[in-house]
Amino acid sequence: MHREDPLIIAGRSFQSRLLLGTGKFASHQQMAEAAEVSGAEIVTMALRRVDPGANQGNILDLLDPEQYLFLPNTSGARNADEAVRLARLARAGGISDWIKLEVTPQPSHLLPDSVETLRATEILVKEGFTVLPYMQADPILAKQLAGAGAATVMPLGAPIGTNRGLQTRDAIALILQEAEIPVIVDAGLGAPSHAAEALEMGADAVLVNTAIATAEDPVAMAKAFRLGCVAGRLAYLAGRPAARASAEASSPLTGFLGES
Amino acid sequence: MNDLIHAIDTIPFGEMIVRAECADERAVREILRKEHRDRWDLAVLLSPAANHLLEEVARAAADLTAQRFGRTIRLYAPLYLSNECVNVCTYCGFRRDNDVARSTLNADQIRSEARYLSAQGFRNILLVSGEHPKWVNQDYLCEAVRITRELVPQVAIEVQPLTTPGYEATVKAGADGVVVYQEVYDREHYASYHTHGPKKDYDDRLLAASRAADAGVRRLGIGTLLGLAPWREEILALATHAAHLYRRFGQTEISFSFPRIREAAGAIEPRYQVNDRQLLQMMCALRLVFPDAGIVLSTREAPSLRDGLSRIAVTMMSAGSRTEPGGYEHPDESEKQFEIEDHRTPAEVTAMLASQGIDPVWKDWEEALHG
Ligand code: SF4
């Protein structure tokens, strides 16, 4: 959309503010079509699903690596050590040294472990990875992760796969107020209006998988999310009144009072 | 007394069954609207009223399955190591008093069976065996796991209950999953079917999954064999077992199986038949109460039923299975544990899944995740 309004992550510039998860689609073909229509430039995939020897091909075979940045995730890792091992594997396999860090000790709800996520981020950043951690919507943790060298923070909107939208809205607003790195809302966004809401608030991007992949028509839903993101970002840039409350006003209403 | 044994022995079956029998359609619909459901809700979902509303119940279950697991089904294959057995389970063809051709695979045979499955695309193998202290001991099992892990990333075992150190050894050898069905949760029925051998010990078997979780096993499969006891009570007990494991071992993935008893050489006829509609009903009910639990469907069920169930609640399927040791490379030389119903090849099954809008997932595991 806005050539003049790129999303910049670790020095790389992207036009789209929608990241697409690939794990839940009915077929590789359908995922590829949805990716195309969504306008996404970053697609995530689970390292544990990657199989170089697969008879039936891998999920990303149909995607052009020139068009997309493949962002492997560490899904399945229950602690920092497992996540770090997965990340090293991705690098050794020539897949990527960008890593979407997921450390989820409990298979139900898949909530991220804050302590282990921070620890893994520290290790991986030292090893030269570009780390995008999935995290609880916790403003303090966001600062700590940024301090550890994370390229973005990815707070959850609601537990993965619940489609419940921005349940963590207030905490995300606090993260946004102080963020110096991009904030990507990940997990739980069930409708394009949720994505729009996140971007209206000033989130830099969103990541969506379940809501698109499990829609009756995933390709149409991918388009709807693309438009939701565009609308949300435009609204943010246009200075939606409620959003401005926490942003700096361009000409202060009380400026006439002078310094006291 | 052990918590789990206590929980299983104090299930208020009487009240739960009354709850199920009195439930009307309104009660079922109310539960479908809930976000979190408990075992009393499960009882209602197993009711005649829910059976009557099965289409609605199935829709809710299918939506939840898609949300949590996506439009995918994971594939696995059983690899039978041995049909030697010292137990008498009266429903099983491998029972020790059955005069059948017995064999135990050696290392080369295990390797060649695993290689066969790997070439077909499988990346997840379930090693299955009868119970025999001489032929299928701890060292043998660990060796079998190691050999299989050389060829595929994900290996689980379905063998006799082991001790905690025994499970630790198999985890060290490379297994990440343990499948141990209680077979029958009702104690009286359990005793009547398990007449000889170490498997007579109900409590030891019941606690096996907990020992495995203690030993660091990540995936637990629990289940009941349908046809041996009244099915509602069995499913309520299975759910109680799962709820206990979820509470105690939050880090562990749990999956359910409830195969219906098939005829096998020299085995008894099932006394408590379950029809297809009831099978679907219990799958949906468990899905709605345990949104994140896996539900496994073997080739014991017929193709048309498997195709239908795969769209609703199933998360994991076997395909092209052989249930005799060495059966992939050398079919029909040993006795099978049971007859399978779905004889389609893995390629045919995955084509069926694809045609229904389901992505077959062969690999869902990575070496690096072994702690
Ligand atoms: S069910 Fe298992 S333990 Fe029982 S007789 Fe068959 S192989 Fe042996």
Side-chain angles (χ1 to χ4, degrees), chain A residues 23-28 47-51 53-56 59 74-78 82 85-86 89 105-109 160-164 210 213-216, chain B residues 35-36 66-72 74 118-121 123 216-218 246 250-253 292 347 350 357-366 368-371:
Chain A
K24 290 179 167 172
F25 282 91
S27 68
H28 301 182
L47 278 163
R48 65 185 199 178
R49 296 266 296 265
V50 176
D51 184 3
N55 298 356
Q56 306 199 350
I59 186 92
T74 61
S75 104
R78 295 184 303 183
E82 290 174 359
R85 283 204 297 272
L86 277 171
L89 187 90
Q106 301 211 2
S108 44
H109 312 306
I160 289 184
T162 59
N163 289 343
R164 285 165 62 190
T210 310
T214 66
E216 291 224 345
Chain B
E35 195 153 337
H36 301 287
Q67 256 185 40
R68 298 304 170 95
F69 294 88
R71 304 215 182 272
T72 64
R74 280 138 192 81
S118 167
Q120 287 196 311
R123 298 293 180 267
V217 168
R218 296 180 61 144
Y246 271 120
Q251 295 214 334
T252 309
E253 275 173 49
D292 301 292
T350 53
I358 299 166
D359 185 25
V361 172
W362 297 87
K363 176 172 175 289
D364 193 28
W365 192 246
E366 193 49 68
L369 289 168
H370 281 287

Side-chain angles (χ1 to χ4, degrees), chain B residues 91-220:
Chain B
Y91 47 81
C92 175
F94 290 174
R95 56 193 274 187
R96 82 163 185 225
D97 55 349
N98 250 2
D99 185 17
V100 297
R102 308 265 176 185
S103 60
T104 302
L105 302 187
N106 64 29
D108 287 340
Q109 291 167 319
I110 297 170
R111 194 169 290 116
S112 101
E113 292 279 282
R115 189 171 293 130
Y116 176 94
L117 291 171
S118 167
Q120 287 196 311
F122 289 106
R123 298 293 180 267
N124 181 355
I125 290 180
L126 176 65
L127 298 175
V128 187
S129 174
E131 174 163 8
H132 199 288
K134 179 158 164 231
W135 300 110
V136 193
N137 57 31
Q138 185 70 52
D139 291 343
Y140 173 85
L141 286 173
C142 287
E143 185 60 15
V145 170
R146 266 191 294 277
I147 292 168
T148 313
R149 270 296 311 280
E150 287 168 14
L151 293 148
V152 297
Q154 192 165 32
V155 175
I157 54 168
E158 182 175 354
V159 302
Q160 72 273 16
L162 305 180
T163 60
T164 308
Y167 285 124
E168 278 164 2
T170 55
V171 169
K172 233 176 130 208
D176 73 288
V178 165
V179 175
V180 52
Y181 303 158
Q182 190 63 20
E183 324 281 26
V184 191
Y185 280 95
D186 179 90
R187 281 185 187 271
E188 270 172 45
H189 283 297
Y190 187 95
S192 76
Y193 293 113
H194 302 102
T195 56
H196 296 278
K199 196 165 167 181
K200 283 172 72 175
D201 189 340
Y202 178 103
D203 289 350
D204 182 64
R205 193 167 185 85
L206 183 65
L207 298 176
S210 305
R211 292 197 297 271
D214 273 332
V217 168
R218 296 180 61 144
R219 293 185 295 137
L220 294 177

